[in-house]
Amino acid sequence: MAYVGLTRPVIAVYKEQNGAVSYENGTRFGKAVKYEISPNYEDVSDYQDINETDPAEEIRSVEITLETSRIPEHAEAVMFGYGINGDETIANQNNKASPIGLGIVTREVIAGTTYYVAYWVHKVLFREEGRTHETKGDTITYTTPSVKGTAVPDYNGNWRTKKRFTSKAEADAWIDEKAGI
């Protein structure tokens, strides 16, 4: 199996109401450059007996790094709570980031057959990373913006849903439906 490429990430505002999870204001990012996901587990074994034979772990959180070709202004408003005023994006000390759902599709090749694997991360709180800009020297250096976030299980205990499709259109439609697009 080989994973080849990513599509444009999708984000949507996470909502919990009356025991139900939903998403709204879904939007697409620039092209995905890199997507890293690192689950963190917590040992929840019962140590009451010295002969414990069933160690147990549960998901504590998931660290996510998303690098894209660009972060559109409307995505900054959704992810970080920044104010948008015409063509200005205003970051204020009182801005509060909202939890979001994150969708991404990757292409997978298994024994010569291409599949599109869609991932929906249920509840992520992102923070903006620092930016580096430099002048052109002897060689051109391209930099892309990245964001880091921490995903936690949603109200129902789900942290990620993954589904395989035979076409990119089907995978994108599934992600769009999750995001309320």
Side-chain angles (χ1 to χ4, degrees), residues 131-177:
R131 302 261 173 105
T132 301
H133 303 278
E134 53 187 89
T135 61
K136 181 179 169 186
D138 292 336
T139 60
I140 296 174
T141 303
Y142 294 99
T143 60
T144 54
S146 69
V147 292
K148 285 194 176 186
T150 303
V152 294
D154 69 8
Y155 179 82
N156 299 313
N158 302 318
W159 73 270
R160 182 189 71 194
T161 302
K162 171 182 158 183
K163 189 168 182 180
R164 181 175 288 136
F165 298 91
T166 56
S167 78
K168 183 179 178 304
E170 290 174 312
D172 285 343
W174 184 79
I175 291 287
D176 286 351
E177 181 181 335

Side-chain angles (χ1 to χ4, degrees), residues 65-145:
T65 302
L66 178 62
E67 192 174 328
T68 65
S69 61
R70 67 183 289 264
I71 301 175
E73 289 78 13
H74 60 280
E76 290 182 316
V78 171
M79 292 178 79
F80 311 125
Y82 292 169
I84 304 295
N85 183 12
D87 59 355
E88 293 180 330
T89 303
I90 303 160
N92 184 282
Q93 68 180 0
N94 296 319
N95 292 139
K96 285 216 176 257
S98 297
I100 62 164
L102 169 68
I104 197 148
V105 176
T106 183
R107 191 171 50 171
E108 179 182 56
V109 179
I110 301 173
T113 304
T114 299
Y115 298 97
Y116 295 87
V117 183
Y119 294 91
W120 183 256
V121 181
H122 293 251
K123 186 177 182 180
V124 186
L125 194 58
F126 276 103
R127 61 194 173 278
E128 187 175 19
E129 287 292 288
R131 302 261 173 105
T132 301
H133 303 278
E134 53 187 89
T135 61
K136 181 179 169 186
D138 292 336
T139 60
I140 296 174
T141 303
Y142 294 99
T143 60
T144 54

Side-chain angles (χ1 to χ4, degrees), residues 15-61:
K15 296 284 183 188
E16 286 179 10
Q17 197 168 24
N18 300 326
V21 173
S22 64
Y23 300 90
E24 61 185 34
N25 297 332
T27 187
R28 289 198 178 273
F29 260 69
K31 294 178 183 176
V33 175
K34 187 176 183 181
Y35 172 67
E36 289 182 42
I37 186 164
S38 303
N40 300 309
Y41 294 90
E42 184 172 357
D43 184 357
V44 292
S45 300
D46 181 8
Y47 288 108
Q48 294 177 2
D49 186 339
I50 196 148
N51 296 316
E52 180 69 44
T53 58
D54 295 326
E57 292 183 324
E58 67 181 33
I59 194 83
R60 180 183 47 158
S61 65

